């Protein structure tokens, strides 16, 4: 199985800050990577797919980059509604696996 | 688009449970479908997935031989039959639709809680 890691595990930030989250795959996955956002008590929500494609309806302050084994999710200007946990997911092979999550909370 | 799970419950170790997912708002028969679980307060794990016509099914190793995924395209429904349940199967189970162009989860249900405990 492909193992996914994320860093940092948590980040404290203020509204307006630029936040960057990194995801690494244990083997190359080309661009078969997605990013999901989850708020407490809610189901996850797809933000980014194919490493850099923005899901319909997702604000443009979210962006993704990377290929192979190293990927990045960037929030250009953090908004109050962005405080949540973010998970990367590899879609290269089953079982599709998720990173352990990065919690973004208020500084 | 909506995915609504049901069937979660408290069950004893060794017991069985069947989860259901009712899909609406999209052409259910055109998509691979998945079950993904999340231990409360923990991360996400893909459990099983099934091809559009049910001809291909895949399972994570920890549930092989115990769980069975199935679908009824006429009823726009996805199922997960869970047998020989263990404490470590305790989780919120999400029904999830595959993306159009890749195996990422494109759409999630609200989840149903399965608790395995005596």
């Amino acid at each position: 199985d492909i193992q996914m890691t994320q860093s940092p595990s948590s980040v404290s930030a203020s509204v307006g800050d630029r936040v960057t989250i990194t995801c690494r795959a244990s083997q190359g996955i080309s661009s078969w990577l997605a990013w999901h956002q989850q708020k407490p008590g809610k189901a996850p929500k797809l933000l980014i797919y194919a490493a850099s494609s923005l899901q319909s309806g997702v604000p443009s302050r979210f962006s993704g980059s990377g290929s192979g084994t190293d990927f990045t999710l960037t929030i250009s200007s953090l908004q109050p509604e962005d405080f949540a946990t973010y998970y990367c997911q590899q879609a290269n092979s089953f079982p599709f696996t998720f990173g352990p999550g990065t919690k973004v909370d208020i500084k | 688009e909506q995915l609504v799970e049901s069937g979660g419950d408290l069950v004893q170790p060794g017991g069985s449970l069947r989860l259901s997912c009712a899909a609406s708002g999209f052409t259910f028969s055109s998509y691979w479908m998945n079950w993904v679980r999340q231990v409360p307060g923990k991360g996400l794990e893909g459990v099983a997935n099934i091809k559009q016509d049910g001809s291909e099914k895949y399972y994570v190793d920890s549930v092989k031989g115990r769980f069975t995924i199935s679908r009824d395209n006429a009823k726009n429904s996805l199922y997960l039959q869970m047998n020989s349940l263990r404490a470590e199967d305790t989780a919120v189970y999400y029904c999830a639709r595959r993306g159009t162009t890749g195996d990422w989860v494109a759409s999630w249900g609200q989840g149903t809680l399965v608790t395995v405990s005596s």
Side-chain angles (χ1 to χ4, degrees):
Chain A
D1 298 358
I2 298 174
Q3 306 302 315
M4 307 300 292
T5 57
Q6 286 181 235
S7 61
S9 57
S10 65
V11 56
S12 294
S14 301
V15 172
D17 283 354
R18 181 182 183 90
V19 173
T20 299
I21 299 168
T22 298
C23 175
R24 176 165 289 176
S26 61
Q27 64 188 74
I29 59 171
S30 185
S31 295
W32 297 111
L33 185 101
W35 289 96
H36 302 271
Q37 176 195 63
Q38 186 176 36
K39 296 181 180 179
K42 301 293 187 182
K45 169 189 168 184
L46 176 66
L47 298 176
I48 301 282
Y49 63 94
S52 60
S53 296
L54 195 67
Q55 174 71 344
S56 176
V58 174
S60 59
R61 62 181 179 272
F62 290 94
S63 64
S65 65
S67 67
T69 60
D70 295 312
F71 302 87
T72 299
L73 173 70
T74 300
I75 309 172
S76 60
S77 178
L78 199 66
Q79 298 302 300
E81 60 268 30
D82 300 336
F83 292 97
T85 300
Y86 294 84
Y87 295 94
C88 60
Q89 179 218 334
Q90 66 85 10
N92 183 75
S93 61
F94 191 85
F96 51 77
T97 43
F98 296 81
T102 295
K103 184 176 182 181
V104 178
D105 59 23
I106 301 172
K107 191 172 187 178
Chain B
E1 174 173 347
Q2 198 170 17
L3 297 166
V4 180
E5 303 93 335
S6 61
D9 205 348
L10 170 64
V11 61
Q12 293 190 338
S16 297
L17 209 57
R18 189 194 197 207
L19 305 183
S20 299
C21 171
S24 61
F26 65 101
T27 306
F28 179 74
S29 59
S30 295
Y31 291 92
W32 281 77
M33 294 296 296
N34 306 276
W35 287 100
V36 178
R37 67 184 177 184
Q38 183 173 36
V39 174
K42 301 292 185 181
L44 297 156
E45 179 183 44
V47 173
N49 67 1
I50 184 168
K51 194 176 180 180
Q52 291 92 328
D53 61 0
S55 62
E56 293 183 37
K57 305 175 184 181
Y58 299 94
Y59 302 91
V60 69
D61 284 349
S62 58
V63 308
K64 281 180 183 174
R66 301 189 299 121
F67 289 12
T68 302
I69 189 172
S70 62
R71 65 191 296 163
D72 185 336
N73 288 339
K75 294 182 178 180
N76 290 336
S77 293
L78 179 72
Y79 306 101
L80 187 67
Q81 177 66 43
M82 303 186 294
N83 299 330
S84 302
L85 283 161
R86 306 167 180 167
E88 55 265 34
D89 296 318
T90 294
V92 174
Y93 285 74
Y94 294 102
C95 171
R97 177 178 67 80
R98 179 192 184 271
T100 303
T101 56
D103 273 324
W104 34 78
V105 173
S107 180
W108 300 78
Q110 88 288 348
T112 188
L113 177 62
V114 173
T115 303
V116 184
S117 175
S118 55

